Amino acid sequence: MNTFGRNIRLTTFGESHGPAMGGILDGFPSLVKIDFDKVKEDLARRAPGRQAFTSPRKEPDEVEFLSGFNKDGITLGTPIGFIVRNKDQRSGDYDGYQGRFRPNHADYTYYKKYGINEFAGGGRASARETVSWVVGGALCRQWLAEKGVTVSARFIETNSVEQAASAGDSTGGIVEGLITGLPVGVGEPVFGKLHSRLAAAMMGINAAKGFEYGDGFAAASSLGSDSADYMCPDPDRPGEYLFTSNHSGGVQGGISNGMPVNFKVYFKPTPTLMRELPSYDTAGNPVVIPPKGRHDPCVAIRGVAVVEAMALLTIADLIKGMK
Amino acid sequence: MNTFGRNIRLTTFGESHGPAMGGILDGFPSLVKIDFDKVKEDLARRAPGRQAFTSPRKEPDEVEFLSGFNKDGITLGTPIGFIVRNKDQRSGDYDGYQGRFRPNHADYTYYKKYGINEFAGGGRASARETVSWVVGGALCRQWLAEKGVTVSARFIETNSVEQAASAGDSTGGIVEGLITGLPVGVGEPVFGKLHSRLAAAMMGINAAKGFEYGDGFAAASSLGSDSADYMCPDPDRPGEYLFTSNHSGGVQGGISNGMPVNFKVYFKPTPTLMRELPSYDTAGNPVVIPPKGRHDPCVAIRGVAVVEAMALLTIADLIKGMK
Amino acid sequence: MNTFGRNIRLTTFGESHGPAMGGILDGFPSLVKIDFDKVKEDLARRAPGRQAFTSPRKEPDEVEFLSGFNKDGITLGTPIGFIVRNKDQRSGDYDGYQGRFRPNHADYTYYKKYGINEFAGGGRASARETVSWVVGGALCRQWLAEKGVTVSARFIETNSVEQAASAGDSTGGIVEGLITGLPVGVGEPVFGKLHSRLAAAMMGINAAKGFEYGDGFAAASSLGSDSADYMCPDPDRPGEYLFTSNHSGGVQGGISNGMPVNFKVYFKPTPTLMRELPSYDTAGNPVVIPPKGRHDPCVAIRGVAVVEAMALLTIADLIKGMK
Amino acid sequence: MNTFGRNIRLTTFGESHGPAMGGILDGFPSLVKIDFDKVKEDLARRAPGRQAFTSPRKEPDEVEFLSGFNKDGITLGTPIGFIVRNKDQRSGDYDGYQGRFRPNHADYTYYKKYGINEFAGGGRASARETVSWVVGGALCRQWLAEKGVTVSARFIETNSVEQAASAGDSTGGIVEGLITGLPVGVGEPVFGKLHSRLAAAMMGINAAKGFEYGDGFAAASSLGSDSADYMCPDPDRPGEYLFTSNHSGGVQGGISNGMPVNFKVYFKPTPTLMRELPSYDTAGNPVVIPPKGRHDPCVAIRGVAVVEAMALLTIADLIKGMK
């Protein structure tokens, strides 16, 4: 439900217009020295209003850690509780939405599932939720760095974001991720394959519509004779191997083979609210949804930090589970 | 690890060249009348050697159910144990592979992870494993049918399979899936989104390299103004809604909205073994892998039955979990 | 690890001498109207210093709910995040303990497991942790009350608490629990039996050394001919049954049979620190542990509220999981 | 549901009067050399009809392993599937029970939970289920032996079994368990305490009514001044510690401290069926249950092997989960 991972588990809570977001990171290893300034840096990369083209909501996103560390910032192996207060709750922005289903939002499906339409309820589907993911990912990044594992991502523009923004419109985009330094053996056979876990993590990000890794979609129209990766001895590490190519995207049989893992996540445009949109309310009456709210012209831009966070959580979880 | 699902859980075992494959389907509802002939039909659709272009291995794939039913074939709500004997163990086919890493197979990664290279061990990565998935899916199909939910899939050819086969080569392919009849409310917010669970299931299938749903990858280059789905009253069910379009692929906020769920899975070509391939053995010596074995020119063809099975297991699991 | 339950899940964090305790209650049903004054009452019953013979630590234990409710206190079905600040952190009380293993505490085992000896680390083993359990249990109590299910517990004195207290000593005690109003069918066969789940919950409470239900230990020396419970029609509910006796403690085959569930939890005395105690420090030197600290002469007294909380969480979890 | 454990997981299936019992042991380590004769010995200790006073059902209980081993009996790290055929299905023995609720059996609670009364359904509550637990435990025993961990149990007689048997009656009994050789650090704080896990495992055994460990129930009437365990250097292992006494039963804060773990399980007498018993059928009519069936005069005798199996599974699971 609201828990991600098996061995390092992030459980989150919070509605975007409630008092706070937060979470518990359980199973994180002891004796990791955390640099809290670096956690702030990861949060800043996700923050709205810090980049051109992203939503002007200007929350500082200050994370308060409530447990899990000694006074020197060294982890104790106990669960790490944290909260991020919602300081910028301008719910007036959302007047006119109560009891009305915003098109292409989760309002309708949540209402049918939980039997209640409160703005705060729809708020679990808000992108604000990802602030907790980034906190969890930032901690995992520092542990993985000790092991030489890095995760990075970048935005690939598909349409002109500036043009979409000035037209009151929004556009989709792509985020490409890269994981390096993985040892051989990360991932579980059958139902816990590394790329399956990664796909689940990425498709759980709001607005993600597609995922590919290695040769990806293109593999579907390729021939076997062009797709093989051959082993070769690693000149730097006697007895270890590299591969002469990386069609497989660093994963074989669901388990890392020591090559980089590369993948892409395809984001749809945010449902634009800069125009009046027709919909219905909980009583069944047709309504017009007013063009208010604060929304990104391209969610994929802020998605970069979120893609990294979810990849970090996925990889840390799998590595912690290895014997 | 070897368990799929939370509320209806399939746990499997078996190496392709051991005595049997099998599994336990736990949490399946009681009082479902199972038509075992239909289970056989689903197995036949997956079976190799039954279709042009697929591997000539001709096992009957007879499933033996060991528990979970009364004498009339009605489920008891107890775990359903089943086995499928491996009758066609021509391990002579694999002479020359012992201790050698077949390129683009899981031999190397399994060896590094488990410290043992036995053919039977690599056998968990065999496509034969999917016979148990199809058994589980076939049972779920019959329960879902009672609820009006259907799952179907079809193969989309990308290259000429016959041409690849006659050249001793293999080709990738696409499988398109469709889920209809879902009620509103299937799927969990945040980390258990319907499409996230579906992505994990599909990417766990051997040779899957990409997954998309709804508008999919194309959404990444579209504009928000062209991507909205608007609600409209369902003329046949007063008080219920349909949507005027289905860009969202039947899912909003991770939860089904009552529209069909459509998705595609992109399969790479099988690593071709019809030629001699260079590799290494466990002692670090370069070896040549002989061109034996039985392999499909296009795994996506048999993948149709497997895609259906995994979608059925995913949806049944989510629906069982609904209150 | 730090999560209790499957369908309604409480995940907790917090060290007794850190800034806060807290948790996330995930899976709690939507549309339950919570009376927060009653939550306070449950917390007050657990609070130290409110009862004769219990530790004089006088924290108000004010719980702050951060998510999961609308403005009217109705649950949204989203995870309920909450924190309880540690206002009374007199860590000076614990001077002389750093790096020293207090006898009969978890200091040594935590140190060996996590490789770190920080007071806050040992703090996960503190009885303060149970404040989060009581918050979770208090919410479950209100949902269960809607269904006619009640949980209560009472303290059974074994030695004179006052006498032990005045001697600077401590004593064990018994807590008896009673669950009424359960429908037939609560509990899962085989590995999730109602009384097995209850035993796990109770034995997870600090200082619990034994658990029994129904006829309990006495059953081990009884005869089958004296132990049978016979069915009889329930005069008030045609078609339903009662039992003429309740040797089985309301559970048959791990599943509730509609009769009250009664059980007892046996608590050891707290390791007394009112005297100097010999031990060792992390460097291997013999040390003397000074007689400071605030401790209960009989933990079973405050254990009453904790036993209720864990029983409430257990029963709510099992009922939520029923179809 | 039908799965025990987190890191080494036993999932079972089978009704006592169906074709077979069986299970999957998933997560068992690779490279363990299994002596299958020793597995047979463990099964023989559980088998009915092999000991005085136990049920005369004489099944050989031959286990067939279907996966998870290479040809030398070395584990592959893949799931271990196994079945035990039910050769002695004398269902004629149970004529007259169909549709009737046997007193003190799970017939009534299963019927209310699953909506079906088939003998095979009630069969999940049969003691025959434990044959799969013993298979799983026997494998764990051999892995734990490599680590110097042993688990043993013994029967403590309370009433004269022979006297009860000859009177057509049954009696309860006690099984005492002992775990030695545990390293420090086994068990998880808070909700996964070693003794909590052990209690859940033991209380899941049919007919178990009580569990205690260390000083157990007696602790409830003891004083703190008499209950302390003090550390002392281990003369054989410099830098390590022993304890001068073992009131705590080898567990502190839920984590093993290196001392032996001792515990007791209290079993009730089997509900005796050697006399006619009054009950009801599914249609609500009063019926008399005939005195057929094969039942043990004291289930605790065979319970020794089952107690060992569950302790082995519990400990192996916790040790596998340690980092």
Side-chain angles (χ1 to χ4, degrees):
Chain A
M1 307 199 197
N2 291 284
T3 297
F4 182 86
R6 254 187 72 85
N7 304 291
I8 296 181
R9 288 194 303 275
L10 178 68
T11 303
T12 63
F13 68 84
E15 289 88 37
S16 53
H17 294 272
M21 315 303 291
I24 301 174
L25 189 68
D26 192 12
F28 195 83
S30 63
L31 301 176
V32 180
K33 166 81 176 152
I34 295 298
D35 180 337
F36 293 104
D37 286 337
K38 288 191 177 169
V39 175
K40 280 185 190 172
E41 285 170 25
D42 275 6
L43 276 170
R45 293 175 56 225
R46 176 208 161 275
R50 301 287 172 91
Q51 291 161 308
F53 313 136
T54 62
S55 157
R57 186 170 176 159
K58 297 217 191 294
E59 296 161 57
D61 280 343
E62 286 171 27
V63 59
E64 181 187 5
F65 288 102
L66 297 172
S67 66
F69 299 96
N70 77 359
K71 64 185 189 314
D72 302 317
I74 294 171
T75 57
L76 298 167
T78 58
I80 299 169
F82 63 88
I83 60 175
V84 181
R85 297 273 173 188
N86 292 327
K87 297 183 179 173
D88 187 31
Q89 299 165 241
R90 294 185 295 171
S91 46
D93 277 16
Y94 290 90
D95 286 350
Y97 291 162
Q98 191 66 35
R100 300 176 168 201
F101 304 126
R102 292 168 297 161
N104 302 289
H105 280 73
D107 299 356
Y108 173 64
T109 55
Y110 270 62
Y111 176 68
K112 293 288 280 187
K113 189 173 184 78
Y114 296 105
I116 189 166
N117 178 278
E118 288 287 334
F119 208 79
R124 273 307 276 165
S126 161
R128 177 120 187 90
E129 158 69 12
T130 60
V131 72
S132 296
W133 308 359
V134 171
V135 172
L139 298 175
C140 289
R141 188 193 297 279
Q142 298 192 29
W143 178 55
L144 291 174
E146 290 182 3
K147 299 180 172 297
V149 178
T150 70
V151 170
S152 58
R154 69 187 184 91
F155 169 64
I156 300 174
E157 192 170 30
T158 51
N159 288 312
S160 164
V161 177
E162 187 150 20
Q163 198 170 318
S166 60
D169 207 335
S170 61
T171 175
I174 302 171
V175 176
E176 183 175 41
L178 186 69
I179 306 166
T180 66
L182 279 185
V184 184
V186 180
E188 299 292 333
V190 187
F191 298 125
K193 294 189 171 91
L194 193 160
H195 56 279
S196 167
R197 294 286 309 275
L198 211 48
M202 296 304 147
M203 296 304 289
I205 302 173
N206 284 359
K209 302 296 283 186
F211 171 87
E212 61 173 340
Y213 83 105
D215 277 0
F217 315 125
S221 46
S222 70
L223 296 174
S225 49
D226 297 330
S227 308
D229 299 324
Y230 298 105
M231 297 174 73
C232 60
D234 184 336
D236 297 330
R237 298 174 305 154
E240 302 293 323
Y241 296 91
L242 294 175
F243 289 80
T244 56
S245 56
N246 196 18
H247 295 287
S248 68
V251 185
Q252 277 167 333
I255 299 168
S256 64
N257 67 3
M259 297 290 284
V261 174
N262 62 309
F263 62 92
K264 284 186 189 154
V265 188
Y266 291 73
F267 290 94
K268 70 171 183 180
T270 30
T272 177
L273 292 182
M274 299 301 132
R275 314 168 182 188
E276 292 201 333
L277 300 175
S279 191
Y280 287 82
D281 65 16
T282 54
N285 304 309
V287 294
V288 170
I289 304 292
K292 280 197 253 175
R294 301 158 296 185
H295 293 273
D296 290 342
C298 180
V299 286
I301 295 174
R302 287 171 58 192
V304 169
V306 182
V307 162
E308 288 188 11
M310 292 310 294
L312 287 159
L313 286 162
T314 302
I315 296 300
D317 182 46
L318 287 169
I319 289 182
K320 177 85 188 305
M322 292 173 69
K323 301 291 165 247
Chain B
M1 308 197 197
N2 292 284
T3 297
F4 182 86
R6 253 188 74 84
N7 304 292
I8 296 180
R9 288 193 302 275
L10 178 68
T11 303
T12 63
F13 68 85
E15 289 88 37
S16 54
H17 294 270
M21 315 303 291
I24 301 174
L25 190 68
D26 192 12
F28 196 82
S30 63
L31 301 176
V32 180
K33 166 81 176 150
I34 295 296
D35 180 337
F36 293 105
D37 286 336
K38 288 191 177 169
V39 175
K40 281 185 191 172
E41 285 171 24
D42 275 7
L43 276 169
R45 293 176 56 224
R46 176 207 161 275
R50 303 285 173 93
Q51 291 162 310
F53 315 137
T54 61
S55 157
R57 185 169 175 160
K58 296 215 191 296
E59 297 161 58
D61 281 343
E62 286 171 26
V63 59
E64 180 187 6
F65 289 102
L66 298 171
S67 66
F69 299 96
N70 76 358
K71 64 184 188 316
D72 301 318
I74 293 171
T75 57
L76 299 167
T78 59
I80 298 169
F82 62 89
I83 60 174
V84 181
R85 297 274 172 187
N86 292 327
K87 296 183 179 173
D88 186 31
Q89 299 165 241
R90 294 185 294 173
S91 46
D93 277 17
Y94 290 91
D95 286 350
Y97 291 163
Q98 191 65 34
R100 301 177 169 202
F101 304 126
R102 291 168 299 161
N104 302 289
H105 280 73
D107 299 355
Y108 172 65
T109 54
Y110 269 62
Y111 176 68
K112 295 288 281 188
K113 189 173 184 76
Y114 297 105
I116 189 165
N117 177 278
E118 289 287 334
F119 206 79
R124 273 308 275 166
S126 162
R128 177 118 187 91
E129 157 70 12
T130 60
V131 72
S132 296
W133 308 359
V134 172
V135 172
L139 298 175
C140 290
R141 189 194 298 278
Q142 298 191 30
W143 178 55
L144 291 174
E146 290 183 2
K147 300 180 171 298
V149 178
T150 71
V151 171
S152 58
R154 68 188 184 93
F155 170 63
I156 300 174
E157 192 171 31
T158 52
N159 288 312
S160 164
V161 178
E162 187 150 18
Q163 197 170 318
S166 61
D169 208 335
S170 62
T171 175
I174 302 171
V175 176
E176 183 175 39
L178 186 69
I179 306 166
T180 67
L182 279 184
V184 184
V186 181
E188 299 292 333
V190 187
F191 297 125
K193 295 190 171 91
L194 193 160
H195 55 280
S196 167
R197 293 287 309 275
L198 210 49
M202 296 304 147
M203 296 303 290
I205 302 173
N206 284 359
K209 303 295 284 187
F211 171 88
E212 62 173 341
Y213 83 105
D215 276 359
F217 314 126
S221 46
S222 70
L223 295 174
S225 49
D226 297 329
S227 309
D229 299 324
Y230 297 106
M231 297 174 73
C232 61
D234 183 336
D236 297 330
R237 298 174 304 154
E240 303 293 321
Y241 296 91
L242 295 175
F243 288 80
T244 56
S245 56
N246 196 18
H247 296 286
S248 68
V251 185
Q252 277 167 335
I255 299 168
S256 64
N257 68 3
M259 297 290 284
V261 175
N262 62 309
F263 62 92
K264 283 185 189 154
V265 189
Y266 292 73
F267 290 94
K268 70 171 183 180
T270 31
T272 177
L273 291 184
M274 298 301 133
R275 313 168 182 188
E276 292 201 333
L277 299 175
S279 191
Y280 288 82
D281 65 15
T282 54
N285 304 309
V287 294
V288 170
I289 303 292
K292 281 197 254 176
R294 300 158 298 186
H295 293 274
D296 290 343
C298 181
V299 286
I301 295 174
R302 287 172 57 193
V304 169
V306 181
V307 162
E308 288 188 11
M310 293 310 295
L312 287 160
L313 286 162
T314 302
I315 296 301
D317 182 47
L318 287 169
I319 288 181
K320 178 86 188 305
M322 291 173 69
K323 300 292 165 243
Chain C
M1 307 200 199
N2 292 283
T3 297
F4 182 87
R6 254 188 73 84
N7 304 292
I8 296 181
R9 288 193 302 277
L10 178 68
T11 304
T12 63
F13 68 85
E15 288 88 38
S16 54
H17 294 271
M21 315 304 290
I24 302 174
L25 189 69
D26 192 12
F28 196 83
S30 63
L31 301 175
V32 180
K33 166 79 176 152
I34 295 297
D35 180 336
F36 293 105
D37 286 335
K38 289 191 177 170
V39 175
K40 280 184 192 173
E41 285 169 25
D42 275 6
L43 277 169
R45 293 175 55 225
R46 175 207 162 275
R50 302 287 173 92
Q51 292 161 309
F53 314 136
T54 61
S55 157
R57 187 169 174 161
K58 298 220 191 290
E59 296 161 58
D61 281 343
E62 287 172 26
V63 59
E64 180 186 7
F65 288 102
L66 298 170
S67 65
F69 300 96
N70 77 358
K71 64 184 188 316
D72 301 318
I74 294 170
T75 57
L76 299 166
T78 59
I80 298 169
F82 62 88
I83 60 175
V84 181
R85 297 276 172 186
N86 292 328
K87 295 183 179 172
D88 186 30
Q89 299 165 242
R90 294 185 293 173
S91 45
D93 277 16
Y94 290 91
D95 287 350
Y97 291 163
Q98 191 66 35
R100 301 176 170 201
F101 303 127
R102 290 169 298 161
N104 303 289
H105 281 75
D107 298 355
Y108 172 65
T109 54
Y110 270 62
Y111 176 69
K112 294 288 281 187
K113 189 172 184 79
Y114 297 106
I116 190 165
N117 178 278
E118 289 286 335
F119 207 80
R124 273 309 271 166
S126 163
R128 178 121 187 91
E129 157 70 10
T130 60
V131 72
S132 296
W133 308 0
V134 172
V135 172
L139 298 175
C140 291
R141 189 194 297 278
Q142 299 191 30
W143 178 55
L144 290 174
E146 291 182 2
K147 300 180 172 296
V149 178
T150 71
V151 171
S152 59
R154 68 187 185 92
F155 169 65
I156 299 175
E157 193 171 29
T158 51
N159 289 312
S160 163
V161 178
E162 189 153 14
Q163 196 169 321
S166 61
D169 208 335
S170 60
T171 175
I174 302 171
V175 177
E176 184 175 39
L178 186 68
I179 306 166
T180 66
L182 279 184
V184 184
V186 180
E188 300 291 334
V190 187
F191 298 124
K193 295 189 171 90
L194 193 160
H195 55 279
S196 167
R197 293 286 309 277
L198 210 49
M202 295 306 145
M203 295 304 289
I205 301 173
N206 284 359
K209 302 297 281 186
F211 171 87
E212 62 172 341
Y213 83 105
D215 276 0
F217 315 125
S221 46
S222 70
L223 296 174
S225 49
D226 297 329
S227 308
D229 299 323
Y230 297 104
M231 299 174 70
C232 61
D234 184 335
D236 298 331
R237 299 173 304 153
E240 302 293 322
Y241 296 92
L242 295 175
F243 287 80
T244 56
S245 56
N246 196 18
H247 296 286
S248 68
V251 184
Q252 277 168 333
I255 299 169
S256 64
N257 68 2
M259 296 291 283
V261 175
N262 62 306
F263 61 93
K264 284 186 189 154
V265 189
Y266 291 73
F267 290 93
K268 71 171 183 180
T270 30
T272 176
L273 292 183
M274 297 303 133
R275 313 169 182 188
E276 293 202 333
L277 300 174
S279 191
Y280 287 82
D281 66 15
T282 55
N285 304 310
V287 295
V288 169
I289 303 292
K292 280 197 257 175
R294 299 160 297 185
H295 293 273
D296 289 342
C298 180
V299 286
I301 296 174
R302 288 171 58 193
V304 170
V306 182
V307 163
E308 288 188 12
M310 293 311 295
L312 287 159
L313 286 162
T314 302
I315 297 300
D317 182 47
L318 287 170
I319 289 182
K320 179 87 187 305
M322 291 172 71
K323 301 291 164 245
Chain D
M1 308 199 198
N2 291 284
T3 296
F4 182 85
R6 255 188 72 85
N7 304 291
I8 297 181
R9 287 193 303 275
L10 178 68
T11 303
T12 64
F13 68 84
E15 289 88 38
S16 54
H17 294 270
M21 315 303 290
I24 301 174
L25 189 68
D26 192 12
F28 196 82
S30 63
L31 301 176
V32 180
K33 166 78 176 153
I34 295 298
D35 180 336
F36 293 104
D37 285 337
K38 289 191 177 170
V39 175
K40 281 184 191 172
E41 285 170 25
D42 275 6
L43 277 170
R45 292 175 56 223
R46 175 207 161 276
R50 302 287 173 93
Q51 292 161 309
F53 315 137
T54 61
S55 156
R57 185 170 175 159
K58 297 219 189 292
E59 297 161 57
D61 281 342
E62 287 171 27
V63 60
E64 181 187 6
F65 288 101
L66 298 170
S67 66
F69 299 96
N70 77 358
K71 64 183 186 320
D72 301 317
I74 294 170
T75 57
L76 298 166
T78 58
I80 298 169
F82 63 88
I83 60 174
V84 180
R85 298 275 173 185
N86 291 328
K87 295 182 179 173
D88 186 31
Q89 300 166 241
R90 294 184 294 174
S91 45
D93 277 17
Y94 290 91
D95 286 350
Y97 291 163
Q98 191 66 35
R100 300 177 170 201
F101 304 127
R102 290 169 297 162
N104 303 289
H105 281 74
D107 298 357
Y108 172 65
T109 55
Y110 270 62
Y111 176 68
K112 293 289 281 188
K113 189 172 184 79
Y114 296 105
I116 189 166
N117 178 278
E118 289 286 336
F119 207 80
R124 273 309 272 166
S126 162
R128 177 118 188 92
E129 157 70 12
T130 60
V131 72
S132 297
W133 308 0
V134 172
V135 172
L139 299 175
C140 290
R141 189 194 297 278
Q142 298 192 28
W143 177 55
L144 291 174
E146 290 182 2
K147 299 181 173 295
V149 178
T150 71
V151 170
S152 59
R154 68 187 184 92
F155 170 63
I156 300 175
E157 193 171 29
T158 51
N159 288 311
S160 163
V161 178
E162 190 151 16
Q163 196 170 320
S166 60
D169 207 334
S170 61
T171 175
I174 302 171
V175 177
E176 183 175 40
L178 186 69
I179 306 166
T180 66
L182 278 184
V184 184
V186 180
E188 300 291 336
V190 187
F191 297 125
K193 295 189 171 90
L194 194 160
H195 56 279
S196 167
R197 294 287 308 277
L198 210 49
M202 295 306 145
M203 296 304 290
I205 301 173
N206 284 359
K209 302 296 282 186
F211 171 87
E212 61 173 339
Y213 83 105
D215 276 359
F217 314 125
S221 47
S222 70
L223 296 174
S225 49
D226 297 327
S227 308
D229 299 323
Y230 297 104
M231 298 174 71
C232 61
D234 183 336
D236 297 329
R237 298 174 305 153
E240 302 293 323
Y241 297 91
L242 295 175
F243 288 80
T244 56
S245 57
N246 196 18
H247 295 287
S248 68
V251 184
Q252 277 167 333
I255 299 168
S256 64
N257 69 2
M259 296 291 284
V261 175
N262 62 308
F263 61 92
K264 283 185 190 155
V265 189
Y266 291 74
F267 290 93
K268 70 171 183 180
T270 30
T272 177
L273 292 182
M274 297 303 132
R275 314 170 182 188
E276 293 202 334
L277 300 176
S279 190
Y280 288 82
D281 66 15
T282 54
N285 303 310
V287 294
V288 169
I289 303 292
K292 281 197 255 176
R294 298 159 300 184
H295 294 273
D296 289 342
C298 181
V299 288
I301 295 173
R302 288 171 57 192
V304 170
V306 182
V307 162
E308 288 188 12
M310 293 311 294
L312 288 159
L313 287 162
T314 302
I315 297 300
D317 182 46
L318 287 169
I319 288 182
K320 178 87 188 305
M322 291 173 70
K323 299 294 164 245

